[in-house]
Amino acid sequence: MRRYEDKAWRNSMRIRVDVNNMMSENIGEKGLTRESIEKLPLSRSVEGMKAKRGQMKWRELPYNQDEIVKQIEDCARSIQENFDSFVVLGIGGSALGPIAVHQALCHPRYNELSKDKRKTPKLYVEDNVDPERMAALLDVIDVKKTMFNVVTKSGGTSETMSQLLIVTDLLHKELGEDISSHLIATTDKEKGNLVKIARRENLTTFIVPDGVGGRFSELCPVGLLAAAVCGIDIRELLAGAAYMDELTACEDVWKNPAYLLASMQIEALKRGHNIHVVMPYADSLKYISDWYAQLWAESLGKRFDNEGNEIYAGQTPVKALGVTDQHSQVQLYTEGPFDKVITFIGVDEYRKVTAIPDGYMDIKDVSFLCGHTQNELIKAEQSATEYAVMKSGHLSNTITLPEVNAFTVGQLLYLFEVMTAFAGELLNLNAFDQPGVEEGKNATYALLGKAGYENKRAELNAAPKAKDEFII
Ligand code: PA5
């Protein structure tokens, strides 16, 4: 029996959400009240979530992938046996999830471990087109011992396609005509160019299911293949998401962690709290903030509501890391403007206990640390910062993971996804499109002379010219 099949274990791993420090009872006049939350369009939003459940295909991923999980595990085993490195080519939702889950669940110095200790291939996620970075990757991998996975839902993103062209050229030079042993595609089943290239090159292809947008795709083959290659238990990850699906099924906003967090954020946003800082107290969760930043920003940053009214909605996500950013940003969070909400993410049991040994016992300002552990220190610093932020009257809340494992990370991802969808309902906007990103993509095509983008090119040429007087 797998541990997540045991109900008692599952319940012991339930992640907790504490919103006390959002409330006026704790932080005074700047805090929210039950009444203010009740005035939000809660019933309409709950109904909206129910009505759209069928369209939100990402909500079914914890349940409908038995067959694909088997295929991914088989594929991952063969990659583990035959390759030294696994390289993901992709950007945005095709990259941030794989990075976040890998950082959360693999050794913090994964690629630097010896092969004996690591046991699974090194992982590189190439989510940029910085020419120095691509060159650097090619300096450290042996192409013949590398499996590449090109991931693009739309099948046409320029950044990803440029990487693919570089890699396929290299592979053809190294391997000859047939490169299918070193390249896997993950894309839509029929739309876009990658599926055509995959057919031409005879590539193993994993499908991004319909209705699963980029930033909601970590729990489908987009994220699961890289995770499985690195030895992560993807069944447990999905079980964690399913568990959170149960917790977020409740229609009472005060008992539903995703609905409650979303309601608090949107009420805070209405009061001018335009920034959402996500501050995990664990290096392992550092890139969960990056993944979340895309989810929250791209889903809610919208000019129009569902009726076509101009609303210019959104709350700017900011990534911070405890305790590191206590020494760079917390001054602003306690004494700066009342324009932000801080979400602390804590961990009950870290996977290691690191003792602080005795030393310099005659120097009291140093020796008070002796006999403690870094575990106690990081927790004390988190509590102290939560207290300082609360005392200063700024809004914050805390999400706590009993430990960081595949089950709790699955819960956390799914919690944030449902929270984002519910926030979209509260704001009455479409949380699942990204017209602003498309605009930038189209402008890039025009600048690089892609056929069909002549009008866009003319529009860009007509944009105001830079004046020398403003360039110094
Ligand atoms: O969330 C989204 O849909 C986007 O941010 C995409 O993930 C990003 O633009 C990459 O797109 P694609 O996976 O189609 O290459």
Side-chain angles (χ1 to χ4, degrees), residues 91-94 152-154 157 160 214-215 294 298 434 437 441:
I91 198 161
S94 298
T152 163
K153 157 92 180 167
S154 63
T157 304
T160 308
R215 55 195 176 275
Q294 184 210 14
E298 227 172 74
Q434 54 283 323
V437 179
K441 285 186 182 182

Side-chain angles (χ1 to χ4, degrees), residues 167-168 171-172 175-183 201 203:
V167 165
T168 48
L171 288 176
H172 281 299
L175 306 171
E177 199 170 320
D178 184 3
I179 60 171
S180 61
S181 56
H182 284 60
L183 180 59
E201 299 284 9
L203 304 182

Side-chain angles (χ1 to χ4, degrees), residues 147-202:
M147 175 62 92
F148 295 89
N149 179 202
V150 54
V151 186
T152 163
K153 157 92 180 167
S154 63
T157 304
S158 308
E159 293 87 345
T160 308
M161 287 298 124
S162 79
Q163 294 173 338
L164 179 68
L165 286 163
I166 294 166
V167 165
T168 48
D169 180 58
L170 259 178
L171 288 176
H172 281 299
K173 282 179 184 143
E174 289 280 350
L175 306 171
E177 199 170 320
D178 184 3
I179 60 171
S180 61
S181 56
H182 284 60
L183 180 59
I184 293 172
T186 305
T187 190
D188 188 89
K189 66 177 183 310
E190 56 195 18
K191 282 186 248 147
N193 297 315
L194 182 55
V195 73
K196 292 182 206 147
I197 296 169
R199 280 190 203 122
R200 190 180 299 178
E201 299 284 9
N202 199 22

Side-chain angles (χ1 to χ4, degrees), residues 165 261 266 269:
L165 286 163
L261 283 170
I266 298 310
L269 178 63

